[in-house]
Amino acid sequence: PQEDIMHRDLTVFQVLYYAALMRLPHDLSRKTIVQHVEQLITRMGLAHIRDNVIGGEKVRGISGGQRKRVNIALELLTEPSLLFLDEPTSGLDSTSTLEVLEVLRQLADAGKTIIMTIHQPRIEAFKCVDKLLLLAKGGKLAYFGPAMTASDYFATRSRLPLAPNANPADY
């Protein structure tokens, strides 16, 4: 979701635990559910804030990047093989953006397929991406392929040379 949908007065663990109670099979034991939530908290890099409240406008809580990771964790409760994420880094500073994308990179490396929209990533964030689909004005396909070769593709189709001794992956 564009806006984080979670109870602001609950802790990270509580938000994930109560969501797990609603989403996971009802024949799972509470112990199994707790173990699943704890593993997910660790995998998402949230163990150090496990007992912190989410917080909001009136009560200070976890950071925006941590809240995004809790949101992603909510979607991972049922262990989907595919995640669609609409701007998972919107509103985050560059450090938080990189933290979220590094977690997504780890999930992808573990076998999850992640499809996301992202606007204007800095180069460190861009390097977390495998494949890139760029759309031109009117929704026309401009590029689809490996993210790290996109600059080569556009350099061969434009009249602008790359800088001398430039590594296309750095663009």
Side-chain angles (χ1 to χ4, degrees):
Q2 287 286 335
E3 185 61 35
D4 301 323
I5 302 171
M6 58 187 82
H7 293 281
R8 306 292 190 179
D9 297 328
L10 299 178
T11 66
V12 169
F13 174 82
Q14 290 169 328
V15 164
L16 293 170
Y17 176 72
Y18 293 129
L21 287 176
M22 291 186 284
R23 291 182 177 186
L24 295 177
H26 291 79
D27 60 345
L28 289 179
S29 71
R30 298 276 171 131
K31 181 180 178 183
T32 301
I33 290 173
V34 167
Q35 288 173 337
H36 182 66
V37 169
E38 294 289 1
Q39 289 170 349
L40 190 54
I41 286 172
T42 300
R43 184 164 66 171
M44 295 303 293
L46 300 167
H48 66 290
I49 58 161
R50 175 197 185 279
D51 298 316
N52 292 23
V53 295
I54 299 299
E57 295 155 9
K58 296 179 182 172
V59 177
R60 184 170 169 81
I62 63 177
S63 73
Q66 292 164 337
R67 213 169 28 251
K68 291 287 184 184
R69 285 187 279 157
V70 172
N71 244 342
I72 294 167
L74 284 166
E75 299 309 317
L76 290 172
L77 282 169
T78 59
E79 291 296 328
S81 58
L82 173 66
L83 283 176
F84 284 99
L85 302 170
D86 183 19
E87 299 184 44
T89 61
S90 65
L92 299 181
D93 62 44
S94 57
T95 301
S96 296
T97 292
L98 196 53
E99 289 172 355
V100 168
L101 289 178
E102 285 171 348
V103 166
L104 293 173
R105 173 79 264 157
Q106 291 168 4
L107 291 169
D109 290 342
K112 301 273 185 227
T113 299
I114 298 171
I115 299 172
M116 67 177 173
T117 58
I118 186 168
H119 299 283
Q120 301 174 335
R122 52 185 250 208
I123 189 64
E124 295 86 357
F126 187 77
K127 288 180 179 180
C128 293
V129 175
D130 285 330
K131 292 190 179 160
L132 176 67
L133 181 131
L134 287 174
L135 298 176
K137 191 173 184 175
K140 303 241 188 262
L141 181 65
Y143 176 81
F144 178 68
M148 289 300 121
T149 62
S151 61
D152 289 337
Y153 173 84
F154 288 108
T156 62
R157 281 154 182 79
S158 74
R159 298 177 198 270
L160 299 173
L162 292 176
N165 302 321
N167 178 357
D170 290 337
Y171 282 86

